[in-house]
Amino acid sequence: MALVDQLNEQMKTAMKARDKETLSTVRMLKAAVQNKQIELGHDLTEDDEKALLSTELKQRKESLVEFQNANREDLVKPLENEIKIVESYLPAQLDEAAVTALVEETIQEVGATGKSDFGKVMKTLMPKVKGQADGGLVNRIVKEKLG
């Protein structure tokens, strides 16, 4: 099922349940999808959808850190709920052990030997983990393994 269809179903469910937080988040996601479709001029592919959702999730996680640092607990709880909703549309996230295994496999695959091969490893690895792992986590693990 296309992401727009999933969002429409979730919107209907949230409206019936009078769940304002979920409804608001789903509407924001739907607007982001529609804006991206207009920008690209066609329906989104599965990869486009994953990239869009990953971007939305990353923005919310960055905001969460900022709110926590500013002691804005009134904004933290709703944002945590938004993050859960966005995550529900993404494929299951890889844990650190799985990412480490993929990093080691990719280092072997490209024959990387040191820090100078960082770009080569990332270029090969990122398509494998797209939408399934945080780029910051992947970056950190690759640096550890090559450094």
Side-chain angles (χ1 to χ4, degrees):
M1 182 186 295
L3 180 60
V4 173
D5 297 333
Q6 289 177 341
L7 292 170
N8 283 331
E9 289 301 313
Q10 182 82 25
M11 262 178 48
K12 289 177 190 173
T13 305
M15 281 182 200
K16 288 177 183 175
R18 299 192 192 288
D19 183 353
K20 290 181 181 176
E21 282 184 15
T22 301
L23 182 59
S24 172
T25 303
V26 172
R27 280 183 173 154
M28 281 189 282
L29 288 174
K30 187 176 176 196
V33 168
Q34 290 172 330
N35 288 339
K36 191 68 169 178
Q37 285 176 332
I38 291 168
E39 178 185 320
L40 296 175
H42 59 79
D43 287 345
L44 300 182
T45 64
E46 195 171 320
D47 285 341
D48 292 337
E49 290 174 352
K50 282 182 190 176
L52 176 77
L53 289 170
S54 294
T55 301
E56 292 292 321
L57 183 62
K58 182 180 179 184
Q59 288 172 348
R60 283 167 174 76
K61 285 185 175 181
E62 289 171 354
S63 295
L64 183 65
V65 170
E66 294 297 319
F67 292 157
Q68 287 171 334
N69 290 342
N71 293 324
R72 293 296 310 266
E73 293 304 315
D74 58 319
L75 299 173
V76 168
K77 192 68 175 160
L79 197 55
E80 287 173 341
N81 291 336
E82 282 186 29
I83 289 171
K84 287 178 188 169
I85 293 166
V86 175
E87 285 175 338
S88 72
Y89 291 102
L90 281 166
Q93 296 292 297
L94 299 172
D95 64 354
E96 192 163 339
V99 173
T100 302
L102 279 170
V103 167
E104 290 170 351
E105 178 185 307
T106 304
I107 288 173
Q108 294 294 319
E109 182 183 320
V110 300
T113 55
K115 289 182 180 180
S116 61
D117 296 320
F118 177 81
K120 195 185 328 179
V121 172
M122 290 297 283
K123 181 179 178 185
T124 306
L125 180 62
M126 287 311 286
K128 295 178 184 178
V129 299
K130 189 174 194 174
Q132 297 178 326
D134 178 55
L137 173 66
V138 174
N139 189 320
R140 181 177 56 81
I141 293 173
V142 169
K143 282 181 181 174
E144 287 174 6
K145 295 296 178 183
L146 292 178

